[in-house]
Amino acid sequence: MLKIIIIDDASEKVAKYKELLAEFPEINFDFVDIAASLVDAEEKLSENQYDLAILDLFLPLRYGDVPNPDNAVTLLKDLSEDDDFKMPFNIVGITRMKDADPKYRENFEQQLLAYIIYEQEKDDWKNRLRQKIAFLIKAQRSIQVQNYYDYDVAVINALQSENKHVLRAFGEDGWQETKIPADLSTTYYTKVVTTSSGRTIRVVSCYALKMASTSSAVLTTKVIYNFRPKYLFMTGIAAAVDRKEANLGDIMIASKVWDGASGKIKTDEEGSDIFYPDFHEIPLDADINALALKLALNRPLLNSIEENYHGKKPEYKLNLRIGPIASVPAVLASEAEVDKLEVHVRKLLGVEMEGYGMFFSAHNSAHPRPKYTILIKSVSDYADSQKSDDYQDYCMYTSASLAYHIVVNELQY
């Protein structure tokens, strides 16, 4: 879909342009604007981003004034120098004044802009403009199917407090708030990071407006669409299900995730409602699973992460655990509910609320999909009635710190 502005005060020429545009089924006239003066054009160009501007050389300052070619030159100058205006991706100058001073044509040619002589009785102007529009339509279609990564790494979180630890882990200096004009509901932070090998990579980080898989799926989709990351991480806090398998503070990497609330409820012969889960797991990539197993044995790394935290932390040494994690729509504080999940995965490691949404979105997104999607969450409590938030800050820190280590030391770019 092209967004086009026709800047011309001659109604008969505007009508001819519309006839030409009507040849293209891809053009929706709801996205074709008309400006009949310099003032009108600059007002529209301050509010809208256009793919193509068709600019008449002899343009009045205001509608009803005498047209003057200096006004078109003024518009080109303002577009180039004033950031209040949105520069169209393409500008075509057009005039029926064949004897116009050559200096005006030079203003277009100096900026490599097309300059067309409009002769109503001839088709040359139509053919040239038609070719330009066909080119733009094809180029726009190509952009929509480009299969390349843009950013190297994206780290997303369910909570702003978790995201603050990500920004600290990667170094608080240098982050910039990056605005996406069409997406004002999410705050994105971007930064150039230097890896241990000396390579510079681009990182983007953000957090969801709410917890739960639906919110994380929406956020993941937006991140992939806007930034095209090669590697996608989520860090934060989660609950472990077995005190023998994971201590408070331990870091967990999901070897597979699934939606623990997906399924159906049936009534049995005795009249009791029974939940039958619909178990569809999404596994961690085998390369990252192997890396996680290696990092779990890296005692100096884990000791360093633990020792660099100076707040309240558990009495246990920090460990890295790898295993299945289930995403559920609410905080679990019931061993009975955990037992229902463990029926399907005997070695269930933990439960949280967002991982499945991230994995599902990444695995089903438009290309290019992230090469690796990684869920790293640390044990802030257990999925039983004995809950506490004593170690949440520590767990946000440890999960973010491990993600940072993987990004700058382990991944290939």
Side-chain angles (χ1 to χ4, degrees):
M1 178 192 70
L2 294 182
K3 191 167 179 62
I4 299 171
I5 182 170
I6 300 171
I7 307 171
D8 200 316
D9 68 321
S11 58
E12 71 277 8
K13 285 172 64 185
V14 172
K16 290 294 183 180
Y17 298 146
K18 286 186 173 182
E19 286 180 13
L20 180 61
L21 295 177
E23 298 177 10
F24 298 90
E26 297 89 347
I27 292 178
N28 182 341
F29 276 91
D30 289 339
F31 299 96
V32 177
D33 292 335
I34 312 296
S37 68
L38 172 61
V39 172
D40 188 15
E42 291 197 336
E43 181 179 350
K44 288 181 168 62
L45 288 162
S46 68
E47 298 173 351
N48 302 285
Q49 178 68 61
Y50 294 99
D51 298 289
L52 173 64
I54 302 172
L55 172 60
D56 181 34
L57 178 61
F58 280 76
L59 188 68
L61 177 61
R62 293 180 176 81
Y63 185 71
D65 290 351
V66 176
N68 186 325
D70 289 334
N71 290 326
V73 174
T74 297
L75 179 58
L76 291 178
K77 184 174 183 292
D78 290 345
L79 286 171
S80 298
E81 299 178 358
D82 193 335
D83 291 338
D84 289 337
F85 298 115
K86 297 177 173 64
M87 174 69 81
F89 293 114
N90 289 268
I91 300 175
V92 172
I94 192 163
T95 181
R96 54 187 167 189
M97 302 299 181
K98 290 189 288 185
D99 57 349
D101 191 318
K103 71 178 183 180
Y104 296 114
R105 183 174 196 140
E106 290 173 4
N107 275 281
F108 283 84
E109 292 179 345
Q110 285 173 359
Q111 299 186 54
L112 300 180
L113 302 177
Y115 185 91
I116 300 174
I117 301 298
Y118 177 93
E119 296 180 275
Q120 187 168 340
E121 67 278 5
K122 296 183 180 180
D123 289 334
D124 181 64
W125 72 270
K126 286 185 180 179
N127 293 333
R128 295 182 65 185
L129 190 55
R130 185 182 290 117
Q131 290 173 7
K132 169 61 74 173
I133 294 170
F135 173 86
L136 294 176
I137 290 172
K138 186 173 182 180
Q140 190 177 76
R141 192 181 299 125
S142 298
I143 289 174
Q144 294 171 347
V145 298
Q146 289 184 52
N147 192 17
Y148 64 85
Y149 295 110
D150 186 2
Y151 274 67
D152 298 284
V153 174
V155 185
I156 67 175
N157 302 100
L159 301 169
Q160 185 178 26
S161 53
E162 294 171 338
N163 189 246
K164 287 180 179 178
H165 278 284
V166 171
L167 303 186
R168 290 173 191 161
F170 283 80
E172 291 187 278
D173 294 337
W175 287 103
Q176 295 183 341
E177 185 176 329
T178 300
K179 297 190 180 205
I180 304 297
D183 180 15
L184 301 180
S185 63
T186 301
T187 302
Y188 298 101
Y189 301 99
T190 58
K191 181 178 181 178
V192 174
V193 174
T194 303
T195 68
S196 58
S197 65
R199 184 183 181 114
T200 56
I201 61 171
R202 296 199 299 164
V203 178
V204 58
S205 188
C206 57
Y207 57 90
L209 295 178
K210 293 184 179 180
M211 296 189 295
S213 276
T214 301
S215 184
S216 67
V218 170
L219 181 63
T220 301
T221 300
K222 294 199 295 183
V223 167
I224 293 172
Y225 179 82
N226 289 324
F227 298 94
R228 298 175 182 245
K230 185 175 184 179
Y231 303 116
L232 177 64
F233 288 77
M234 175 179 278
T235 67
I237 59 175
V241 300
D242 190 337
R243 295 172 187 270
K244 296 179 182 178
E245 297 297 328
N247 295 320
L248 288 174
D250 281 354
I251 304 171
M252 299 186 293
I253 292 182
S255 60
K256 55 186 173 183
V257 295
W258 79 97
D259 183 359
S262 177
K264 64 172 64 176
I265 297 176
K266 289 185 177 181
T267 303
D268 64 13
E269 295 178 355
E270 298 177 355
S272 299
D273 290 336
I274 300 177
F275 176 68
Y276 294 87
D278 185 18
F279 181 73
H280 292 289
E281 67 182 29
I282 303 178
L284 179 67
D285 184 271
D287 293 347
I288 297 299
N289 195 78
L291 172 62
L293 292 171
K294 183 185 77 170
L295 294 178
L297 301 177
N298 190 335
R299 194 68 253 165
L301 168 64
L302 297 173
N303 288 344
S304 175
I305 292 175
E306 177 187 342
E307 292 165 2
N308 284 331
Y309 184 81
H310 302 295
K312 184 176 181 180
K313 49 190 172 184
E315 59 185 12
Y316 312 102
K317 296 295 294 181
L318 179 64
N319 286 294
L320 171 59
R321 315 288 184 175
I322 302 97
I325 293 180
S327 294
V328 293
V331 176
L332 281 188
S334 168
E335 294 182 29
E337 293 300 319
V338 172
D339 290 342
K340 294 179 183 178
L341 296 173
E342 288 186 302
V343 169
H344 300 275
V345 179
R346 182 175 57 85
K347 293 187 177 181
L348 179 67
L349 180 61
V351 292
E352 48 81 74
M353 298 176 65
E354 297 83 21
Y356 182 79
M358 176 188 69
F359 264 78
F360 185 87
S361 178
H363 281 242
N364 292 279
S365 71
H367 291 283
R369 295 169 185 153
K371 182 177 181 181
Y372 300 141
T373 302
I374 309 165
L375 178 66
I376 305 175
K377 293 201 171 183
S378 296
V379 181
S380 63
D381 56 50
Y382 293 94
D384 56 27
S385 58
Q386 301 178 39
K387 284 193 171 291
S388 170
D389 59 3
D390 290 349
Y391 305 117
Q392 284 188 358
D393 190 76
Y394 174 69
C395 292
M396 295 175 190
Y397 156 80
T398 56
S399 59
S401 297
L402 182 65
Y404 172 75
H405 171 83
I406 294 173
V407 167
V408 300
N409 295 289
E410 307 291 348
L411 298 179
Q412 296 181 354
Y413 301 96

